[in-house]
Amino acid sequence: MANDIQETAAVKRTAARPFRRAVLRGLAVLIPPLFTILIIVWAINTTKSYMLEPVTDWARDGLVWFLADVRVDPPLPSPTAKRVELDGRTYRRVENDTFIPEAVYELVQRQPGEKMPSSGEGYYRRYVDLTYLRPMFAIPFFLAVFILLLYFLGKFMVVGIGGFFTGMFERLMLHMPGVRSVYSAIKQVTDFVFSEKEMTFTRIVAVEFPCKGSWSVGFVTGESLKTIRDALDEPVLAVLIPYAPPVTGCVITVRKSECIDLDM
């Protein structure tokens, strides 16, 4: 009886393993693209919230200040008049009893947005959104300006004064408790991703790393330190062991005789 129960349990475990393996394989396939999409969406939303929207608000306020033609208490043919002719242009009354050009009034009336404006400035803000800050025009324009600013910033950092300010800022960040660890980690990642320096790999080898009996694939970057080579009295190599995911890695020094060349 006990043997039958044990056999039944073993059969159930065996039947469950393919299901579990299939689920794990599905997660392995799903998680990388899902995380990639989440990171991209996060980057887009962060850029929109902290860069695009503030810049758009500043541009809107500047355009409204430059364009707004809001008349307060103009001469009226009657106290309840909805239109008035001023300087050869027709103006329309809005809710706060100010007057704006009829072309602005009619355009906003056709496309009021979420809520109809109640003031002349509100009408002009909506008018600027409809004419000057439409997404199909504003986003490419602001993106081009942002890239241009990055270009000038990069050029500025190349010269001596730019490097001086960069060094001061980094020293400040590295002396702030709590901030320096986060800044250092982000700096390492950005330096690795955006660095223009290319690392030359002479060949691919297998080395015992991180312990004896465990083999890792690495890239030979060249000969290692002369001091180590002299101490061991044999050639040594510097080998880059990449981590997974391949964002960074570590460089180790191994005897040349302990490396196995791989035809890869």
Side-chain angles (χ1 to χ4, degrees):
M1 182 68 176
N3 291 336
D4 293 341
I5 294 175
Q6 291 177 354
E7 290 178 0
T8 303
V11 169
K12 289 182 179 180
R13 285 196 300 271
T14 303
R17 284 173 185 169
F19 175 79
R20 183 176 63 183
R21 286 198 296 268
V23 171
L24 293 177
R25 282 197 296 268
L27 286 175
V29 172
L30 179 63
I31 287 177
L34 180 62
F35 270 52
T36 302
I37 294 172
L38 289 176
I39 291 173
I40 293 174
V41 171
W42 172 82
I44 293 174
N45 289 335
T46 301
T47 303
K48 178 182 177 183
S49 299
Y50 294 98
M51 292 183 61
L52 183 60
E53 290 182 356
V55 171
T56 302
D57 290 340
W58 297 336
R60 182 186 298 110
D61 292 339
L63 288 170
V64 169
W65 176 84
F66 180 76
L67 296 172
D69 182 11
V70 180
R71 302 299 178 96
V72 180
D73 296 330
L76 301 176
S78 66
T80 59
K82 299 296 184 181
R83 284 187 175 87
V84 62
E85 294 288 335
L86 298 172
D87 303 326
R89 300 178 66 185
T90 303
Y91 287 76
R92 291 288 298 268
R93 185 195 294 267
V94 297
E95 290 184 18
N96 68 342
D97 292 331
T98 57
F99 287 78
I100 60 175
E102 190 171 40
V104 175
Y105 178 87
E106 291 181 349
L107 178 61
V108 175
Q109 284 287 328
R110 290 194 298 268
Q111 303 178 62
E114 296 180 359
K115 184 180 179 181
M116 181 66 71
S118 60
S119 65
E121 289 79 7
Y123 269 83
Y124 264 99
R125 291 177 68 85
R126 181 59 182 165
Y127 174 77
V128 167
D129 285 340
L130 293 173
T131 53
Y132 297 98
L133 296 180
R134 297 173 65 182
M136 66 180 66
F137 303 129
I139 292 177
F141 175 76
F142 289 140
L143 182 60
V145 172
F146 180 66
I147 293 175
L148 188 62
L149 289 176
L150 290 180
Y151 170 78
F152 285 114
L153 180 62
K155 286 291 186 181
F156 174 74
M157 291 304 170
V158 172
V159 300
I161 188 171
F164 172 75
F165 284 116
T166 303
M168 285 184 54
F169 177 77
E170 289 191 355
R171 286 192 294 271
L172 177 64
M173 292 293 102
L174 295 175
H175 280 83
M176 297 177 64
V179 176
R180 61 186 172 202
S181 56
V182 177
Y183 177 80
S184 297
I186 296 175
K187 184 77 165 54
Q188 290 178 12
V189 174
T190 54
D191 286 347
F192 182 84
V193 174
F194 297 109
S195 176
E196 295 181 355
K197 297 180 181 178
E198 295 184 358
M199 185 174 291
T200 302
F201 302 129
T202 56
R203 63 183 192 268
I204 301 175
V205 296
V207 295
E208 284 189 295
F209 180 84
C211 59
K212 288 289 184 181
S214 297
W215 291 86
S216 299
V217 176
F219 305 94
V220 177
T221 61
E223 294 186 353
S224 190
L225 299 174
K226 182 178 182 298
T227 306
I228 301 176
R229 184 172 68 249
D230 294 342
L232 296 176
D233 195 24
E234 66 173 297
V236 291
L237 300 175
V239 180
L240 172 65
I241 306 295
Y243 293 157
V247 175
T248 183
C250 67
V251 178
I252 63 174
T253 298
V254 295
R255 291 181 172 90
K256 186 176 181 180
S257 60
E258 295 178 352
C259 296
I260 301 175
D261 282 285
L262 300 178
D263 186 16
M264 295 176 63

